[in-house]
Structures are given as C-alpha cells and as structure tokens.
Amino acid sequence: MEFLLSSAIGLLTAGGVYLILRARTYPVVLGLSLLSYATNLFLFATGRLVLDQPPVISTLATGYTDPLPQALVLTAIVISFGMTAVIVVMALRSYLENGSDHVDAPAPDEALP
Amino acid sequence: MNHWLIAPIVLPAIMAPILLMAARHDIVLARIFSIASVLALLGIALALTTLVSNGLIVTYALGNWLPPFGIVLVADRLSVLMLLLTAGLALAVLLFAVDGSDHQGRHFHALFQFQLMGINGAFLTGDFFNLFVFFEVLLIASYGLMVHGGGATRTRAGVQYVAINLVGSTLFLIAVGMIYSVAGTLNMADLAIRVPHIAAGDQALLQTGALLLLLVFCIKAALVPVHFWLPGTYANAPAAVAALFAIMTKVGAYCVIRLYILAFGADAGVASWLAAPWLLPAALVTLTLGMLGVLAARRLSQLASFAVIGSMGMLLIAIALFTPAALSAALYYLLHSTLAGAVLFLIADLISRQRPGHDDRLTVAPRFAQLSLLAGAFFVAAIAATGMPPLSGFIGKLLILNAARSSVAPVLIWSLILGTSLLAIIGFGRAGSTLFWKSTGEAGEFPAADQRQTLSLVAIGLLLAGIIGLTLFAGPLTAYLDATAEQIFATHHYIAAVLGNTALQGGIR
C-alpha cells in the first residue's frame, strides 16, 4: 500500500510538472490539476496510512486515523477545483483576445519569440 | 476575548457580498460603501494599535475552541502595524480608483474588499493552514483585480500570474503537509515548542518542509530566482491594482519574519536560523537584479516594478540578518517601500493618461497637461524610492547599513547596497529627464485629458504625505519599531499568549 500510494504521488507529480512546462495553456491547466491531485494524496499520507479505522471517537473503535489531514484535503480539493475553473476561464479569455493559446502569446505588435 | 480582533476580516467579508448584491448596478453606491468600509478598517486598525502598543499580545480563539486545536487569531505589534499599513494604502488606492478606473470593468469594489479580507487575515492568523486559506482568498481576489478592465496583454499576463501562483499554492500545501507529518501541529506557537524536540531522523523532513515554505513566501515576496512573475504582472495590471499589490509582496516578507523567528529561530535546536543562509544571498542578488532592471526599463510602470523587486531585496537583506536592530530597520524600510512603490505606479498611470500614443514609455514626446505637477510628484517619489536624503528611503537605508555592520559579510552588503543605489539614481534620473525635461523642448502639445483627476492627485498626495510623515516622525517611529522587533524576538511571550503560561514548561504535553 505504501508503495502504491507513493508511486501514484510520484507519477502524478512527474506528469504534472512535465505538462506545466508545456507552451500551450491547455496542457498547463491539465498539469496544474494533476499536481493538485498529487498534493491531495500527499496530504492524506501526512496523517500516516491507516486502513479501516474511524476518524471520530467511538466506543467500538480499535484504533483511529488522523482526522486533520482529511479536513485539510477537503479544503484543498475545494480550493483547487475553484482555481482550475478560474484558470480555464482566464485561458479561454486570453485565447480569444490574443488569437493564440500560447502561454507567452505575442501581443499584436510583437513577433512570436 | 476582544471581538474587535476579528473585525478586520469580518468587515470586508460582509461588505463584499453587499457590494456584489446590492450595489451591483450603482457605481456611486458601491464607491460610498467601499470607501466607508476602508475608513472603518483604518479606524479599527488605529484602535487595535492603541490596544497592543504597550506590548500586549491579544489572541482570539474562533468559536472558543482553544489552541492548539482551534483556530486562533493573534494580534501583536507587528501584525497590527501591517493592518494599519494595509488600511492606509487601501484608502489612497481606493481614492485613485474611484476617480474612474473602477468603472472600466465589473465588480472592482467587491474584489477589492475580498482582497483586503485575505491580506488582513494573513496578518492576523496564528496557524499556517489558515495562512494558506487567507493566501488563497487574497490570490483569488487578486486574479480578478489583475485582469480588471481586460485587454489582450493584460489577460495574457493574468494567465501567467494565475499559473505561477497555483504552483505556489501547491508547494505551500506540500510544505504544510511535510511539517504536519513530523510535528503533528499546524499552530505556529505550538510548532515553535515542538521543533526543538523533533527526532533527528525526522529533521530532514521538517527542514525540507520549512524550506519549501520559505520558497513559497519568496515567490510572494518576488525574491530571485522566483521573481520573474512580478514585472509582467505589475506593469500590466491596472495602476490602482498594481499599487495595492505593493502590500502583497510584503505579505511574503511578513510570513518570513513571523515563522522563521518564532519556530525556526534561536530556540529551534538543530533547525535554528534555518532560513538565514538561503535568504541573504538570494536577497543580495534580488537587490542587484532589481536595480539593474530599473536601469534597463523602457516603461515607467516597468521601472516601478523593478524598483519594487529591488526594494524587496533590500528589505530581505535586513530580515535575513535576523537581529533585532536589523529587523527594526527592515520594518521601517517595509513601511517606506510600500508607500514609495505604490505612488510610483499611480504617477505612471496619470502620465500615461496624458500622453495618448506614448503612454508611459520612456520616450521624448511633446509637453502634456499637468507636466510640472506630475514632474514634482515624480521627483519626490524618486528621491524616496532611490533612498536619497532627506526622505524616508535614506533613513531606512541608513538604518539597514548600520545594522549590517556587525553581520557576516558587512563589506559585501555595504558595497552592494551603495552600488545599487547609484544604479537606481541613474535609472530614475534618466527616466525623469526623458519624460519631463527633454519633453519641454519638443514642439506641439498633447491636449489635456478630459477626465477629472482631482481624487487621483489627492491619492498621490496622501501617499507622498505618508512618506514625508515617515521622515518627520522617524524618531518616535523607530523607537516603536525597536520595541516591535524586540517583541518578535521574545518568542516566549508570543507562545505564552497563544497557548497559556504552562505550555513552555511542557504542561500541555
């Protein structure tokens, strides 16, 4: 399980970083999403990996999982979802106004670098 | 518990939806509400200043959930000083925006209030997950403000700004997770107690997390090598927004001061003064690069952006020395550089309005309306920004130089600060003589813009008056800042105020 989770985080991060370095806005947006998924998984792991245990106090519980990272991940998911929406809209707007989805789209009076 | 402590966050948080819903179509109503809110924030900040000026540290546990488990707001001299600076800057910037530029896009005032909520929250919060949340609040609002008014180059710069900050937020979360995984707490005061007792095997994780967090704060503070987003963003943002953003770089500097003295300072054992060896070289390079940029700038707003980068370098040099005297100098320079940076963006915008076709490019063009008035304002702002006598930039620089005498590399720091000052003087002098002096010799004249500009000039006057005020009251102010710096370095007071007196003796564990 440790191997599965850590390799998943690693793969998502690697894919995310690769996509962020692309020149077009769409791969960059995808890369940012992948990176935020990797971060969410990583935050889960900070409370240590525990199977089948409740996060809240209960008389039947034999052990507990750390509830705090779950709360953090929830906040992080909401924020990253909203931010993805924002950057998609901004990227669309930039594409419509500049006529190019290049991250460094040239202004009308400039040549493409 | 003093409920006024949460007012700087709650007031803009209530005002923004009101502006969105009730004053959406009525710009006059929106302006009145917005200015009233900022005036109230200024009043609250002044009241809090009198509350904490005798050295008291006030805490506010939200929902009465006690720290380290609940969320806590902490007001000490430093955070209230930053609140006061934010409110003062916001008032001037808002007056400038009310003079017409708030009408170029939608929802300027609502976004402005959300921006203030995020900034105030970042200054008040006592745990670093909420620091992340407030960072997001201020960033989301800034994305909207950054593209206010639209336009092709502005939207392109906006996309880059959002992307770099999303990467920054991701790094922030990873760093918070790393620190939590070994320290088991998100409360800054609690972290300060636990850091010295972290097992040797976990130190690598802790220090990596703390340094990643430093990287995030450096992105916000525009430190080399993560400064590259700033010139594009600030030079392309609307002037009022760029002027407000002058406080955003200081949020990064504030976090460095807060966390790396409290949790990774003198008492941190193996991890003590973790940030210093990284911060000082980066700050020195930032100062040099910023002032070289001033020399190379082709537009006035670009020049102002690079002046902001240079001043952040200077500020973080003083912070990176990590002594009370240097920190006091840094705080003085922080107040000064915020006002000086903001006023430069406003002046650049007024000049570009008067020169259609030339905008704020540093080109020789015919005379324009209000030339002598704007030239005078630019002259005062340039003296302040380059750190020439008699204005506050000079005093701040002198304080930093004095504090650097007993540092690790006094010769290097002195020569770089003095050398870059010369670069800045040449850059500003060249810009001023091109824009104002040479232009008087040209034939023809630009017609005066038909917009009223009274409030814009009042805003610029307010900021310049602030700079002059910093100069005139430098004596009492530095005494107050000395006390502030001492309070920051006396970390046990902060910890005792947040967690109670028993915490330091291990009573909670």
Side-chain angles (χ1 to χ4, degrees), chain B residues 28-210:
Chain B
V28 178
L29 198 62
R31 285 170 179 168
I32 291 171
F33 270 103
S34 201
I35 289 179
S37 166
V38 170
L39 280 175
L41 280 180
L42 193 61
I44 293 167
L46 281 172
L48 286 177
T49 307
T50 56
L51 187 68
V52 299
S53 60
N54 57 1
L56 193 67
I57 298 176
V58 195
T59 63
Y60 183 88
L62 270 83
N64 225 354
W65 289 88
L66 291 179
F69 303 109
I71 294 171
V72 63
L73 301 180
V74 187
D76 60 355
R77 285 195 181 113
L78 174 64
S79 38
V80 174
L81 181 76
M82 300 303 290
L83 288 185
L84 195 60
L85 178 67
T86 310
L89 180 71
L91 181 64
V93 168
L94 197 59
L95 285 180
F96 187 89
V98 161
D99 216 13
S101 57
D102 61 341
H103 207 35
Q104 288 165 358
R106 289 160 65 86
H107 305 314
F108 177 87
H109 292 288
L111 287 168
F112 193 86
Q113 295 296 324
F114 275 129
Q115 172 93 68
L116 290 181
M117 172 197 167
I119 295 174
N120 287 344
F123 289 145
L124 280 174
T125 180
D127 70 297
F128 50 84
F129 191 75
N130 277 292
L131 188 63
F132 167 76
V133 174
F134 283 121
F135 262 49
E136 288 305 310
V137 172
L138 74 89
L139 284 175
I140 293 169
S142 76
Y143 301 151
L145 287 175
M146 158 79 212
V147 291
H148 174 78
T153 42
R154 192 171 285 171
T155 346
R156 178 183 58 169
V159 172
Q160 294 166 357
Y161 174 66
V162 176
I164 177 92
N165 276 302
L166 286 186
V167 176
S169 304
T170 311
L171 281 177
F172 199 146
L173 274 178
I174 293 174
V176 166
M178 275 179 156
I179 295 176
Y180 177 76
S181 70
V182 289
T185 183
L186 293 170
N187 186 292
M188 291 188 206
D190 199 24
L191 180 70
I193 299 179
R194 294 193 186 202
V195 162
H197 308 299
I198 300 283
D202 289 338
Q203 280 288 340
L205 264 180
L206 177 77
Q207 297 189 10
T208 312

Side-chain angles (χ1 to χ4, degrees), chain B residues 78 81-82 85 250 257 311 314-315 318-319 324-340 384 387-388 390-400 465-482 484-485 488:
Chain B
L78 174 64
L81 181 76
M82 300 303 290
L85 178 67
K250 274 65 181 183
I257 296 175
S311 74
M314 180 90 88
L315 176 59
I319 293 174
L327 188 60
S328 167
L331 291 177
Y332 186 86
Y333 197 79
L334 187 151
L335 296 175
H336 148 79
S337 64
T338 309
L339 300 181
M388 298 237 289
L391 287 178
S392 53
F394 177 70
I395 300 173
K397 200 174 283 183
L398 217 55
L399 287 169
I400 292 176
I467 292 173
I468 293 168
L470 284 181
T471 317
L472 289 180
F473 299 104
L477 191 62
T478 44
Y480 183 77
L481 294 178
D482 281 340
T484 308
I488 298 165

